[in-house]
Amino acid sequence: MKRNKMILLLVMIALAIVSCNEKPNQITDTNDYNQYLSVQGNESMDFAYKEIDFWQKKYDAAPNQKSYLGIIASKYATLFEYSGDIDNLYKTENLLTQLNESNNYSKVSNLRSLGRNYIAQHRFKEALALANKALTIGEGRKETQKLLFDVQMELGNYPEALLNLNAIKDMNDYDYLIRLAKWNDHKGDLNTAITFMEKARTIAEKEDNKVLKIWSYSNLGDFYGHAGRIQESYDSYLKTLELDPNYSYALKGIAWIVFSHERNTQEAKRIIEAIEVTHNTPDFYLLKAQIAQYEGNEKEFLENKNAYLSMLKSHDYGAMYNKYNALLFADEKATAAQALEIAKVEVDHRPTPDSYDLLAWAYLNVGEKAKALAIAQKHVVGKTFEPKVQYHLAMIYKSNNEVQKVETIKEELLGSLYELGPNLESKVNQL
């Protein structure tokens, strides 16, 4: 009997040791996604190159056929989506500008295409001008109102965005549902946003529309992550990759799960470096810098930060990385004034609560805490629910000795640590 008790005790100790060594946060499995880290070729890009060659030859032979320019432009947009090469975005713009000039900016579909290109470049006011011109012409009104909703949201013109959203209301329409999801996310109602995105996904699946399914799965991956539903987030990213093995955005989502949830920095870096081979954009250097910072590796942090800045210098990204730059420069006293100037430009480009948050945060970091508080109270509080913005608010309140407000925000932030990332966890705990 004593021997049996001893065996049982040893088994229990062994199980306790095993359970201590297990990773309770482990969700990902390299066997699920390894195949997507070294995909040979890209069918979508290969097809785009062939189409460009074919239609360019047709256009060269018949330069009066301006409609060919729109087809070529759409293929360069595909190349930009997969490669991240900014030159492809500008080639798209150039062709669409030629196309619009050829018909004196009178065809709404061409106006909308150029408007979407401007949105990708963060030229929101110019996009709005084109969308309004298309609406005045009147043809294809609902499609134009979808574009207007998108650009009004980017500009922080929320009452106008809602008017356009209501104008296209149709609970059986995919485009309406994804915008309704975005609207609810903006209001801070993430659960409702997810419900509508799931309805959109169902429509995409019923129609067996590959493009819409990819878009639905990848966006649900984001939404589930924000809601702390990490397993569902991971599964959605894997579904995206099953449909399109070259879809780097989904791999980036998995890299974030590995880093922020599982705290496996080496594996996160391995995924990111695999993505960079085919999709090289500046934000990946910032993500690697973030990982290095968490590891306490100052050398790697600076290398990646400098690589990011170097890439911005060697390529013209316009205003596309203003937000990243403002946040990066605000973190150090030597560059905080620079962050303030960028934030002012960003508020002028897109006066959203998020942009005003950048401005308030920049003022706090140059020592003007009262000004930071005034801007935050007027333009940010209650108008956006992004965790990083809430963290900035808490820091602004703390600097202005409004301690009671800090505690309320801190409780919310503790539930958003996955989205905020490991580097902010200790800062949130210190609030």
Side-chain angles (χ1 to χ4, degrees), residues 97-117:
T97 301
Q98 287 181 56
L99 181 58
N100 276 288
E101 285 173 351
S102 72
N103 55 47
N104 199 27
Y105 289 83
S106 63
K107 194 167 180 183
V108 293
S109 60
N110 297 337
L111 288 167
R112 287 196 296 260
S113 294
L114 185 55
R116 296 211 174 280
N117 178 274

Short mmCIF file of all heavy atoms in Angstrom, two decimals, residues 97-117:
data_model
loop_
_atom_site.label_atom_id
_atom_site.label_comp_id
_atom_site.label_asym_id
_atom_site.label_seq_id
_atom_site.Cartn_x
_atom_site.Cartn_y
_atom_site.Cartn_z
N THR A 97 -4.09 58.62 -63.74
CA THR A 97 -4.13 60.07 -64.03
C THR A 97 -4.25 60.29 -65.53
O THR A 97 -5.07 61.10 -65.99
CB THR A 97 -2.88 60.77 -63.47
OG1 THR A 97 -2.82 60.56 -62.06
CG2 THR A 97 -2.92 62.26 -63.75
N GLN A 98 -3.43 59.57 -66.31
CA GLN A 98 -3.53 59.66 -67.78
C GLN A 98 -4.93 59.30 -68.26
O GLN A 98 -5.50 59.96 -69.14
CB GLN A 98 -2.53 58.70 -68.43
CG GLN A 98 -1.07 59.13 -68.34
CD GLN A 98 -0.18 58.11 -69.05
OE1 GLN A 98 -0.37 57.83 -70.24
NE2 GLN A 98 0.78 57.57 -68.33
N LEU A 99 -5.48 58.24 -67.68
CA LEU A 99 -6.81 57.77 -68.07
C LEU A 99 -7.87 58.82 -67.77
O LEU A 99 -8.74 59.10 -68.61
CB LEU A 99 -7.12 56.47 -67.32
CG LEU A 99 -8.45 55.79 -67.59
CD1 LEU A 99 -8.61 55.44 -69.07
CD2 LEU A 99 -8.58 54.53 -66.74
N ASN A 100 -7.80 59.44 -66.59
CA ASN A 100 -8.77 60.47 -66.22
C ASN A 100 -8.62 61.73 -67.07
O ASN A 100 -9.60 62.36 -67.44
CB ASN A 100 -8.65 60.81 -64.73
CG ASN A 100 -9.43 59.84 -63.85
OD1 ASN A 100 -10.65 59.86 -63.80
ND2 ASN A 100 -8.72 58.96 -63.17
N GLU A 101 -7.38 62.06 -67.36
CA GLU A 101 -7.14 63.25 -68.21
C GLU A 101 -7.70 63.04 -69.62
O GLU A 101 -8.19 63.97 -70.25
CB GLU A 101 -5.64 63.55 -68.28
CG GLU A 101 -5.09 64.19 -67.01
CD GLU A 101 -3.58 64.33 -67.01
OE1 GLU A 101 -2.93 63.77 -67.92
OE2 GLU A 101 -3.05 64.98 -66.08
N SER A 102 -7.63 61.80 -70.09
CA SER A 102 -8.10 61.51 -71.45
C SER A 102 -9.60 61.71 -71.61
O SER A 102 -10.09 62.00 -72.70
CB SER A 102 -7.73 60.07 -71.84
OG SER A 102 -8.53 59.13 -71.14
N ASN A 103 -10.36 61.55 -70.51
CA ASN A 103 -11.81 61.80 -70.61
C ASN A 103 -12.25 62.98 -69.74
O ASN A 103 -13.40 63.09 -69.35
CB ASN A 103 -12.60 60.53 -70.26
CG ASN A 103 -12.24 59.95 -68.90
OD1 ASN A 103 -12.17 60.71 -67.92
ND2 ASN A 103 -11.99 58.66 -68.83
N ASN A 104 -11.25 63.85 -69.46
CA ASN A 104 -11.52 65.10 -68.73
C ASN A 104 -12.20 64.86 -67.37
O ASN A 104 -13.10 65.59 -66.98
CB ASN A 104 -12.36 66.06 -69.60
CG ASN A 104 -12.27 67.49 -69.12
OD1 ASN A 104 -11.29 67.90 -68.52
ND2 ASN A 104 -13.33 68.25 -69.36
N TYR A 105 -11.75 63.82 -66.67
CA TYR A 105 -12.25 63.49 -65.33
C TYR A 105 -13.78 63.40 -65.31
O TYR A 105 -14.44 63.91 -64.42
CB TYR A 105 -11.77 64.53 -64.31
CG TYR A 105 -10.29 64.44 -64.01
CD1 TYR A 105 -9.35 65.04 -64.85
CD2 TYR A 105 -9.84 63.72 -62.92
CE1 TYR A 105 -7.98 64.94 -64.59
CE2 TYR A 105 -8.48 63.62 -62.65
CZ TYR A 105 -7.56 64.22 -63.49
OH TYR A 105 -6.22 64.12 -63.24
N SER A 106 -14.33 62.70 -66.29
CA SER A 106 -15.80 62.63 -66.41
C SER A 106 -16.36 61.23 -66.18
O SER A 106 -17.58 61.07 -66.11
CB SER A 106 -16.22 63.11 -67.82
OG SER A 106 -15.67 62.24 -68.80
N LYS A 107 -15.51 60.22 -66.03
CA LYS A 107 -15.99 58.85 -65.86
C LYS A 107 -15.82 58.42 -64.41
O LYS A 107 -14.71 58.37 -63.88
CB LYS A 107 -15.23 57.91 -66.79
CG LYS A 107 -15.88 56.56 -66.93
CD LYS A 107 -15.29 55.75 -68.07
CE LYS A 107 -15.99 54.40 -68.16
NZ LYS A 107 -15.41 53.55 -69.21
N VAL A 108 -16.94 58.09 -63.75
CA VAL A 108 -16.91 57.87 -62.30
C VAL A 108 -16.05 56.67 -61.90
O VAL A 108 -15.38 56.72 -60.86
CB VAL A 108 -18.35 57.71 -61.73
CG1 VAL A 108 -19.12 59.01 -61.82
CG2 VAL A 108 -19.09 56.59 -62.41
N SER A 109 -16.05 55.60 -62.67
CA SER A 109 -15.25 54.42 -62.29
C SER A 109 -13.77 54.76 -62.26
O SER A 109 -13.03 54.30 -61.38
CB SER A 109 -15.52 53.26 -63.25
OG SER A 109 -15.17 53.61 -64.57
N ASN A 110 -13.34 55.59 -63.21
CA ASN A 110 -11.92 56.00 -63.24
C ASN A 110 -11.59 56.96 -62.10
O ASN A 110 -10.51 56.89 -61.52
CB ASN A 110 -11.59 56.66 -64.58
CG ASN A 110 -11.75 55.71 -65.75
OD1 ASN A 110 -11.70 54.50 -65.58
ND2 ASN A 110 -11.98 56.25 -66.94
N LEU A 111 -12.54 57.82 -61.77
CA LEU A 111 -12.35 58.74 -60.64
C LEU A 111 -12.22 57.95 -59.34
O LEU A 111 -11.36 58.24 -58.51
CB LEU A 111 -13.54 59.71 -60.54
CG LEU A 111 -13.63 60.81 -61.60
CD1 LEU A 111 -15.00 61.47 -61.56
CD2 LEU A 111 -12.54 61.85 -61.39
N ARG A 112 -13.08 56.94 -59.19
CA ARG A 112 -13.02 56.13 -57.97
C ARG A 112 -11.70 55.35 -57.87
O ARG A 112 -11.11 55.25 -56.79
CB ARG A 112 -14.21 55.16 -57.92
CG ARG A 112 -15.54 55.83 -57.61
CD ARG A 112 -16.58 54.81 -57.19
NE ARG A 112 -16.89 53.88 -58.26
CZ ARG A 112 -17.95 53.96 -59.06
NH1 ARG A 112 -18.81 54.96 -58.90
NH2 ARG A 112 -18.17 53.06 -59.99
N SER A 113 -11.25 54.83 -59.00
CA SER A 113 -9.98 54.08 -58.98
C SER A 113 -8.82 54.96 -58.55
O SER A 113 -7.99 54.56 -57.72
CB SER A 113 -9.69 53.50 -60.38
OG SER A 113 -10.65 52.52 -60.71
N LEU A 114 -8.77 56.18 -59.07
CA LEU A 114 -7.70 57.10 -58.67
C LEU A 114 -7.88 57.52 -57.21
O LEU A 114 -6.90 57.66 -56.48
CB LEU A 114 -7.69 58.32 -59.59
CG LEU A 114 -6.56 59.34 -59.38
CD1 LEU A 114 -5.19 58.68 -59.46
CD2 LEU A 114 -6.65 60.49 -60.39
N GLY A 115 -9.12 57.68 -56.79
CA GLY A 115 -9.40 58.01 -55.39
C GLY A 115 -8.87 56.95 -54.44
O GLY A 115 -8.29 57.25 -53.40
N ARG A 116 -9.06 55.67 -54.80
CA ARG A 116 -8.57 54.58 -53.94
C ARG A 116 -7.05 54.55 -53.92
O ARG A 116 -6.43 54.24 -52.90
CB ARG A 116 -9.13 53.24 -54.42
CG ARG A 116 -10.63 53.18 -54.30
CD ARG A 116 -11.16 51.78 -54.04
NE ARG A 116 -12.61 51.84 -53.81
CZ ARG A 116 -13.19 52.19 -52.67
NH1 ARG A 116 -12.43 52.51 -51.63
NH2 ARG A 116 -14.49 52.22 -52.54
N ASN A 117 -6.45 54.89 -55.04
CA ASN A 117 -4.98 54.98 -55.08
C ASN A 117 -4.50 56.10 -54.14
O ASN A 117 -3.52 55.91 -53.40
CB ASN A 117 -4.51 55.25 -56.51
CG ASN A 117 -3.01 55.41 -56.61
OD1 ASN A 117 -2.47 56.49 -56.42
ND2 ASN A 117 -2.32 54.33 -56.91
#
